[in-house]
Amino acid sequence: MGKSQTNRAAAAAARELAATVTSWATSAPPVGTARYGSLYGLLLDVGESFTPAPRPADVVAGAMGFCYANAVTAASLPGWAYVEGLALLDTGGTRLPVPHAWVTTDGHTAVDVTWPDGKGVAYLGVRLAPAAWAGRPFWDSSPVLDVHARPTLLTHGVPGDWLMP
């Protein structure tokens, strides 16, 4: 696939993910005085779209099923930022939006430190500052943006000190 075809495929995947998240957000509107009705609404408001980028050869993928811990480990390296949200996973015939974490070095590309290159075809997430994740034990592979465990994310949004400048 040429570079222009790759760019068109990435843009189409990003639109597909955004359309799905928009549909899901519409199905779960805010209740009462809540700012968001779901993680999907939160991601549409403060999330950013990321284009997949190959993992550098010197970065080894972490264990499957531990994306949050893998991304925290990678984000501890200088110049890397932790991102959490939804990724469009290509299973080889079906594409599924799933909760996921990855890293970025430039704020635009997603470096997946869990899935094999090519499995994540679009990413929508929030770059989270170390204040949001640095105190977690290394074995904790749960989402920081878990709106069920942290319902204040729906009522008030992401705390300002959690967001990357």
Side-chain angles (χ1 to χ4, degrees):
M1 190 179 304
K3 187 173 181 166
S4 65
Q5 285 179 310
T6 300
N7 290 343
R8 281 195 302 274
R15 285 191 304 273
E16 179 183 346
L17 180 57
T20 300
V21 173
T22 299
S23 175
W24 289 351
T26 303
S27 299
V31 176
T33 60
R35 189 169 179 181
Y36 307 107
S38 65
L39 173 63
Y40 315 119
L42 183 148
L43 288 174
L44 288 174
D45 185 32
V46 297
E48 305 168 75
S49 183
F50 293 82
T51 303
R55 186 174 46 257
D58 61 335
V59 176
V60 178
M64 292 294 287
F66 292 91
C67 64
Y68 302 102
N70 297 338
V72 161
T73 299
S76 299
L77 299 171
W80 293 68
Y82 177 88
V83 187
E84 200 173 285
L86 293 174
L88 189 59
L89 173 66
D90 187 335
T91 65
T94 303
R95 288 158 47 132
L96 305 166
V98 297
H100 196 51
W102 59 94
V103 291
T104 186
T105 57
D106 61 8
H108 305 290
T109 57
V111 178
D112 203 309
V113 290
T114 304
W115 295 341
D117 284 342
K119 288 296 183 183
V121 295
Y123 298 79
L124 175 65
V126 179
R127 288 181 296 143
L128 295 171
W133 53 263
R136 298 165 56 131
F138 76 92
W139 47 262
D140 186 352
S141 194
S142 63
V144 172
L145 297 178
D146 183 344
V147 298
H148 302 289
R150 296 176 185 86
T152 58
L153 291 170
L154 296 179
T155 55
H156 303 292
V158 180
D161 65 335
W162 283 19
L163 297 171
M164 291 291 287

